[in-house]
């Protein structure tokens, strides 16, 4: 495969996008673990209403 500057820039762009979305996903998972129980209304049996 011919490695032109455009090909290298395209591969770098894709890798940066994948890294960004993985970082956002990790942030959301960590934040949900810390703040996941807040803001939920539960009924008397300890379950969320349907």
């Amino acid at each position: 495969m011919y490695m032109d500057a455009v090909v290298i820039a395209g591969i770098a762009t894709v890798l940066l996008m994948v890294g960004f979305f993985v970082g956002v996903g990790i942030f959301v998972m960590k934040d949900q673990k810390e703040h996941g129980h807040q803001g939920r209304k539960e009924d008397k049996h300890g379950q969320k209403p349907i």
Side-chain angles (χ1 to χ4, degrees):
M1 184 169 117
Y2 183 68
M3 293 301 283
D4 195 8
V6 176
V7 175
I8 294 171
I11 292 171
T13 302
V14 170
L15 290 176
L16 284 171
M17 287 191 303
V18 169
F20 174 76
F21 286 117
V22 167
V24 168
I26 291 172
F27 171 77
V28 168
M29 286 175 28
K30 285 184 178 181
D31 190 59
Q32 189 174 11
K33 283 183 183 177
E34 292 177 11
H35 304 288
H37 56 18
Q38 296 175 354
R40 290 186 181 176
K41 291 186 177 180
E42 297 180 352
D43 65 357
K44 61 184 175 182
H45 299 292
Q47 297 176 349
K48 288 174 48 178
I50 297 175

